[in-house]
């Protein structure tokens, strides 16, 4: 058994985040292939509660779109810190994909 | 402008933003292919509330003049309309007049005589308060019901127009339309809709072209060319070396949208759930099956920004591994001592000012969401102070200055000297703004909130 499983970034060719207007942030996992997509799209691994924990937001506000035709998982939620306010450290929310990207996939069915 | 129905409409979008620049070969390629309209977005909220709050553009005048020169010449040569949306970044009245002034100068220099329409989208709080009282203003998530005080607190409010005021300006004879705040898509959708193209493919094509080369395999290679017809649209990049592929075009619906399948416009909702994307050749994609559901009530979305205070920034840096090994404790001590000294010297209570201490190189970007740990090699320390006036913000930063220079960790028995990046260390940032509106107004008519001037000289 390897010591650690791959991260979502390891399974993706791109992970990105961006404002969707001043009050929302949206992020996408572009998985390399269908196998990676199946892992990332698995609700028992990645669901609204996991996003809520990673980003300290209310799970009820998180929207997840699973798009098998593109091998994409897209996640949107209200910006916890409003754009441009004193505590906004990422004006375009362009670096907020990192906690998601560094999430390790589960060992069972994980690395292959 | 002749609005007789046609079989297809060919759209040239040279870039995602006026002022971003492009290679002239982009335009030449479009003209060779044949075009019916040139469209470009001139703004966005993406760079923050400052531009709306202060009604100033993000772009520099010379860059806008360069791009307008390229487009005005092309529009005149091809005898097609040029449509610019969200002029001056935020689409305020000052932004429209700023772009109109630059366009007028360029036209004089180029010997062009095109009829220009300016469409103003700025809203006044008193009118909106009437709409609010009449129950015609509704919140969009995550914001709640609008309060009149919020409207009154805004320095500028704009309404996002749909295609309708742009179509009216074209019908009235405008060859160049300089629109205030408009949806990114309305700019490219207006002309095809006027020419009788179906709403589904038109709005979908408009969403794909609005970011220029974003929807191609080489986003840096410049603009895109879309042809809308009765059954769908085709799209290709203007750079012969770049390609549109079904995956890239389909994926563009993900970009900066909350929901990748449905997008609300003033007149209704674009629905691409059943759209199909087919490669016609190695660089051209055909899209069909896009739908548009007309809304029962036409709505216009508001954007507003208000001043939150005035900010002063101070920046120092830490390289000493002894401090870096205990950087969180050092920062906690810094925050505690700043509050104490501000209380002692300025007699300001905690609620009378605010500051954010950011440790760049440690967790400066993600703060408490940072998933990784471990001692950094160096840390840039930014102190950002917000207070009701500039003098107070700067006073707080100056009180913090000796700490930003000499603060030790709790375990150190001597005073280190840290690395200020500049002298003076404090930089006054002026007014700071925040977006406060995310509400829609039920309109009386699609154009009732906008004011159009055609052919008159710019007053600014």
């Amino acid at each position: 058994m390897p010591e650690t499983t791959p991260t979502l970034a390891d399974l993706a060719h791109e992970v990105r985040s961006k404002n969707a207007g001043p009050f929302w942030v949206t992020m996408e996992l572009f998985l390399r292939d269908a196998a990676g997509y199946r892992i990332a799209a698995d609700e028992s691994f990645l669901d609204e509660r996991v996003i809520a924990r990673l980003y300290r937001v209310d799970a009820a506000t998180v929207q997840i779109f699973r798009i098998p035709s593109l091998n994409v998982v897209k996640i949107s939620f209200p910006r916890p810190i409003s754009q441009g306010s004193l505590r906004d450290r990422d004006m375009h929310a362009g670096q907020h994909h990192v906690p998601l990207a560094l999430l390790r996939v589960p060992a069972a069915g994980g690395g292959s | 402008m002749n609005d007789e129905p046609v079989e297809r409409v060919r759209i040239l979008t040279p870039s995602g933003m006026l002022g971003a620049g492009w290679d002239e070969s982009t335009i030449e390629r479009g003209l060779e292919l044949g075009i019916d309209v040139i469209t470009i977005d001139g703004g966005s909220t993406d760079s923050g509330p400052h531009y709306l709050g202060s009604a100033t553009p993000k772009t520099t005048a010379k860059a806008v003049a360069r791009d307008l020169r390229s487009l005005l010449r092309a529009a005149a040569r091809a005898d097609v309309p040029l449509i610019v949306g969200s002029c001056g970044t935020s689409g305020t009245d000052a932004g429209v007049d700023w772009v109109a002034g630059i366009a007028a100068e360029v036209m004089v220099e180029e010997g062009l005589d095109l009829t220009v329409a300016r469409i103003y989208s700025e809203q006044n709080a008193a009118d909106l308060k009437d709409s609010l009282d009449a129950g015609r203003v509704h919140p969009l998530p995550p914001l709640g019901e609008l309060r009149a005080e919020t409207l009154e607190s805004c320095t500028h409010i704009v309404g996002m127009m749909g295609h309708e005021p742009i179509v009216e300006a074209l019908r009235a004879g405008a060859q160049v339309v300089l629109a205030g705040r408009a949806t990114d898509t309305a700019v490219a959708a207006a002309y095809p809709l006027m020419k009788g193209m179906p709403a589904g493919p038109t709005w979908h094509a408009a969403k794909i072209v609005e970011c220029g080369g974003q929807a191609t395999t080489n986003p840096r290679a410049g603009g895109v060319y879309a042809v809308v017809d009765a059954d769908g649209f085709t799209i290709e990049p203007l750079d012969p070396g770049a390609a549109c592929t079904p995956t890239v075009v389909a994926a563009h619906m993900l970009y900066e949208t909350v929901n990748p399948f449905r997008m609300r416009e003033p007149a209704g909702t674009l629905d691409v759930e059943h759209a199909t994307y087919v490669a016609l050749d190695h660089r051209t994609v055909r899209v069909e099956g896009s739908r548009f559901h007309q809304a029962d009530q036409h709505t216009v979305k508001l954007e507003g920004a208000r001043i939150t205070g005035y900010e002063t920034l101070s920046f120092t840096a830490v390289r000493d591994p002894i401090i870096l090994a205990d950087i969180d404790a050092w920062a906690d001590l810094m925050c505690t001592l700043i509050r104490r000294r501000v209380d002692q010297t300025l007699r300001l209570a905690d609620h009378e000012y605010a500051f954010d201490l950011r440790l760049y190189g440690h967790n400066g970007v993600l703060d408490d969401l940072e998933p990784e740990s471990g001692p950094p090699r160096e840390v840039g320390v930014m102190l950002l102070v917000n207070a009701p006036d500039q003098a107070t913000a700067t006073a707080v930063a100056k009180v913090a200055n000796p700490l930003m220079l000499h603060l030790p960790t709790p375990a150190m028995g001597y005073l280190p000297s840290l690395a200020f990046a500049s002298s003076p260390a404090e930089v006054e940032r002026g007014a700071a703004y925040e977006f406060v509106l995310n509400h829609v107004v039920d309109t009386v008519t699609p154009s009732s909130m906008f004011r159009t001037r055609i052919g008159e000289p710019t007053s600014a």
Side-chain angles (χ1 to χ4, degrees), chain B residues 77 134 164 248 286 311 375 408:
Chain B
R77 231 173 96 191
E164 304 91 346
V248 168
R286 173 79 183 166
E311 289 184 354

Side-chain angles (χ1 to χ4, degrees), chain B residues 191-205:
Chain B
Y191 189 78
L193 290 174
M194 180 178 109
K195 293 304 232 178
M197 293 301 108
T202 296
W203 286 106
H204 194 177

Side-chain angles (χ1 to χ4, degrees), chain A residues 6-8 14 18 23 28 34 38 49 61-62 71 80 82-83 93 95 97 103 107-108 110:
Chain A
T7 62
L8 283 171
E14 184 182 355
K18 195 82 195 284
F23 297 99
E28 289 101 29
R38 273 194 298 278
R49 283 168 307 169
T61 65
V62 176
N71 287 332
S82 85
Q83 189 194 3
Q95 291 293 299
H97 59 287
L103 189 66

Side-chain angles (χ1 to χ4, degrees), chain B residues 119-139:
Chain B
I119 308 177
Y120 295 102
S121 61
E122 207 157 331
Q123 308 295 315
N124 94 43
D127 292 348
L128 291 171
K129 202 168 160 293
D130 292 343
S131 298
L132 181 62
D133 292 340
R136 292 196 290 114
V137 180
H138 313 285

